[in-house]
Amino acid sequence: TRAQATLHCVNGQWISESGKTGLSGFQCAPCVQVAEPGYQDFVTINKQELAFYDKMTSLMYTDLYEAHCVERDGSKVHVKQQRFCTAMRTKTAPGSNDETRLVEFLDGSSQCMSATLQNGEYRATSETCSDASVQQLLAAEQVPLILWTLQRFTEARGTWTRATRSLSQLQGRTNCQPQGALGG
C-alpha cells in the first residue's frame, strides 16, 4: 500500500501512474476531510460546488457598441463606459434557491444589487447586503433584463426595443452579411 498516488483523467478514463486504466487496485480507507464551517450544509444537499461558488468574483457589463460596466454610486446603479469594472461576487443566502443569488459589489462598501419590477422593467439600486432582502435575491433570468434597463437609460441607440418573449420580436434594422475576417 502507498500513502498517496496520482491519477489522471484522460478522455474520460482514469489512468494511474503505472498506466493502468480505471481505479483497480485502489481501496477505500478512513480519512479526514478538512473544510470551512458550513461546507457540510452543502454536502447534505449534494451541492458542494456552491461552497466554492461564493468565492468567485466576476464583472458585469453590457457590450452594445462599447463596454459599459455596471457600477454603483451611492444607492444608484448604472452602467458607465470605462476600461476597468468593479468586481462583483454572487453568493448564496439562507433564502436563496437554485436560481437566486445575492450580487455584492466588491468595492469595500458591503452593498448588494437590489431589483424591483416597475412598469414591466427591473430597476436596480444598491443597498446594504441583507440575507433577508427578497429584492436582493436576483434570479439568473433577471440579470439580462436589469442590464437592458440600465443600458437603455444610459443612451438611446436607434429604434431597437427589448424583446418581450423571443428574439423574433426584436424590431430594428440590421445587416447579416459577413464582414471582415468572415466575409468579403
Side-chain angles (χ1 to χ4, degrees):
T1 62
R2 294 176 42 189
Q4 69 180 38
T6 303
L7 294 174
H8 298 279
C9 182
V10 178
N11 293 329
Q13 291 192 354
W14 289 106
I15 310 285
S16 69
E17 292 171 333
S18 63
K20 293 181 182 176
T21 59
L23 298 176
S24 60
F26 286 89
Q27 296 177 349
C28 292
C31 65
V32 175
Q33 183 176 17
V34 179
E36 63 185 32
Y39 182 76
Q40 185 58 43
D41 296 337
F42 292 110
V43 172
T44 302
I45 61 172
N46 198 26
K47 295 190 178 191
Q48 297 89 326
E49 69 279 2
L50 293 180
F52 305 101
Y53 181 79
D54 288 355
K55 293 169 185 52
M56 295 172 36
T57 60
S58 60
L59 305 175
M60 193 178 297
Y61 63 93
T62 66
D63 191 5
L64 183 67
Y65 297 112
E66 54 208 12
H68 285 78
C69 300
V70 174
E71 300 290 335
R72 63 167 215 89
D73 182 12
S75 65
K76 294 182 180 179
V77 175
H78 57 93
V79 289
K80 180 179 178 185
Q81 183 184 5
Q82 57 190 36
R83 187 171 178 185
F84 299 103
C85 300
T86 299
M88 297 178 169
R89 176 176 49 226
T90 54
K91 58 185 190 175
T92 56
S96 61
N97 58 32
D98 284 349
E99 299 296 322
T100 59
R101 301 285 182 271
L102 292 172
V103 177
E104 179 183 11
F105 292 94
L106 296 179
D107 58 3
S109 65
S110 298
Q111 295 282 302
C112 285
M113 188 182 300
S114 178
T116 55
L117 189 60
Q118 298 175 5
N119 299 323
E121 295 183 320
Y122 284 100
R123 304 296 176 150
T125 57
S126 174
E127 300 174 353
T128 301
C129 294
S130 168
D131 290 347
S133 173
V134 175
Q135 286 82 16
Q136 289 181 11
L137 289 175
L138 303 180
E141 65 192 28
Q142 288 176 291
V143 173
L145 299 173
I146 292 168
L147 292 174
W148 173 265
T149 302
L150 290 172
Q151 183 69 42
R152 192 170 76 93
F153 286 110
T154 300
E155 298 177 43
R157 294 288 187 181
T159 59
W160 289 95
T161 58
R162 175 175 61 95
T164 54
R165 294 200 179 123
S166 71
L167 289 176
S168 64
Q169 293 177 339
L170 283 175
Q171 299 172 357
R173 298 169 60 102
T174 187
N175 178 353
C176 295
Q177 297 297 317
Q179 297 179 12
L182 297 176

